[in-house]
Amino acid sequence: MSTATTDIAAPAPRRKGWTRFVPFAGYLRQSVGWQRGMLIAGLVITGVFVLVATLAPLLAPYGYADLRDDRGPFDSQAAPSAGHLLGTTVGGFDVLSRVIWGARTAVLVVILAVVMSLFIGVALGLLSGYFGGWFDRIVVVIADAIYAFPSLLLAIVMSIAISGGQSSMMGGILAAAISITVVFVPQYLRVVRSETVRIKSEAYVESAKVVGASSMRIMTRHVLRNATRTLPLIITLNASEAILTLAGLGFLGFGIEPTAAAEWGYDLNKAVADVSAGVWWTAVFPGLAIVLGVLGLTLTGESINDLADPRLRGRRAAPAEDLMAEGATSEEAES
């Protein structure tokens, strides 16, 4: 009897083990109904978005700054055709190529901005919440002052200060990422700081102090792991906000030069006059790319938020349990 029980219970740890190495696998196992559908849709859209960015040199028929091919220069504002599946812009750029290469620009900016703001915000929040005192007061005041500014306005100011509003590909990507980082750092700082203030008074932290553990060891081994559990949600939502901020900078003329890299916001800015002239393809496809990128990350983030909140998770699971109960009752009645 005990051997059979051991054999039946053995697979569970193995399944739990591999899910630690597969991103979002744990969330997929917990989700049900519409919640699972939203999460899968968000992951698929985001995955396609990242895949297109990674394979941009293979997928794009032309370079982001190409104005001609072997047959000659491209026509301006040419309608979608076999040679240009999504048409061309007023400047003669291929729309499909600009959309695909724009995905790479967006992914690079999002990764740099999120990683930099994550490290800076978590480090400052951990130190501020754990040690407190004058350092905590100064950091909180600066973070609140930054947080009070409109995010896009602050990004514009930082972009002008860093690169003068226009730059090369890597310089422009770095400038945009730093501009967005300044906006995001206070969010990570406030979340990690509040969790650190709560966790540092827990019994296991006090026990670590009693046995002589250093402050650095306590922060990295005991506080950090528990203070960052809610960060996946913030990361996904910040990634979608980073795409919008980058597009806003490009639309207002403070982004990356068109000959240095493709950027959706810049393309939308140049397509404003085309719409009134009936040239719809130059605006629709870059705008659709922005919408899909933000939608995928937002669906993923909202699904993670529901799964992280026990009240929402229980509320969504209840209808499924009721359906199972009704099914069992109907089977009993038939038998």
Side-chain angles (χ1 to χ4, degrees):
M1 181 72 69
S2 61
T3 304
T5 304
T6 304
D7 294 339
I8 294 173
R14 286 199 298 268
R15 185 178 67 174
K16 192 176 292 185
W18 70 262
T19 55
R20 289 183 297 178
F21 301 99
V22 179
F24 303 102
Y27 293 114
L28 284 171
R29 288 196 297 109
Q30 298 176 26
S31 59
V32 294
W34 280 103
Q35 186 183 66
R36 173 169 292 183
M38 287 175 54
L39 181 57
I40 292 175
L43 291 176
V44 168
I45 295 173
T46 304
V48 171
F49 177 69
V50 174
L51 186 64
V52 169
T54 305
L55 302 178
L58 301 177
L59 297 177
Y62 306 101
Y64 55 80
D66 286 353
L67 294 174
R68 59 185 301 136
D69 58 8
D70 298 336
R71 294 170 294 183
F74 300 150
D75 294 332
S76 176
Q77 295 180 330
S81 62
H84 302 281
L85 296 179
L86 302 184
T88 61
T89 67
V90 65
F93 297 109
D94 181 68
V95 175
L96 176 60
S97 300
R98 295 282 299 179
V99 169
I100 293 175
W101 283 103
R104 168 168 285 195
T105 304
V107 167
L108 288 175
V109 171
V110 167
I111 291 176
L112 284 174
V114 171
V115 169
M116 287 192 297
S117 58
L118 182 65
F119 276 98
I120 297 173
V122 169
L124 289 177
L126 198 62
L127 294 171
S128 175
Y130 187 82
F131 291 109
W134 62 269
F135 178 76
D136 178 49
R137 289 193 291 272
I138 292 175
V139 169
V140 170
V141 168
I142 295 175
D144 288 343
I146 294 175
Y147 204 73
F149 277 89
S151 59
L152 183 58
L153 177 61
L154 183 60
I156 292 173
V157 173
M158 292 303 302
S159 178
I160 295 174
I162 294 169
S163 65
Q166 293 285 337
S167 186
S168 61
M169 178 178 178
M170 291 311 300
I173 288 175
L174 186 61
I178 294 174
S179 304
I180 298 171
T181 296
V182 175
V183 176
F184 288 168
V185 164
Q187 301 180 29
Y188 293 102
L189 188 151
R190 294 171 72 174
V191 171
V192 175
R193 177 186 174 276
S194 62
E195 287 295 308
T196 302
V197 170
R198 178 185 64 81
I199 292 170
K200 72 177 183 179
S201 61
E202 296 287 340
Y204 60 87
V205 176
E206 297 295 335
S207 301
K209 292 179 181 178
V210 170
V211 299
S214 63
S215 297
M216 182 61 64
R217 182 177 178 83
I218 293 173
M219 285 191 295
T220 55
R221 291 292 300 275
H222 302 288
V223 179
L224 179 62
R225 183 182 304 175
N226 295 293
T228 56
R229 290 182 176 179
T230 59
L231 292 187
L233 167 64
I234 303 175
I235 290 172
T236 54
L237 296 180
N238 278 352
S240 63
E241 186 178 348
I243 294 177
L244 291 175
T245 303
L246 176 64
L249 289 174
F251 186 82
L252 295 175
F254 299 100
I256 303 169
E257 295 179 2
T259 56
E263 202 279 303
W264 295 330
Y266 173 87
D267 292 342
L268 279 178
N269 175 272
K270 295 302 179 182
V272 171
D274 296 345
V275 175
S276 59
V279 182
W280 53 269
W281 53 88
T282 58
V284 167
F285 297 110
L288 186 61
I290 295 173
V291 170
L292 289 177
V294 173
L295 178 63
L297 290 167
T298 302
L299 288 176
T300 303
E302 290 298 332
S303 300
I304 293 175
N305 181 40
D306 288 358
L307 293 170
D309 192 332
R311 295 170 299 178
L312 297 176
R313 185 170 62 241
R315 189 168 63 207
R316 289 181 179 273
E321 295 174 357
D322 294 341
L323 290 174
M324 292 175 62
E326 291 177 3
T329 304
S330 61
E331 290 178 0
E332 292 175 359
E334 292 176 359
S335 60

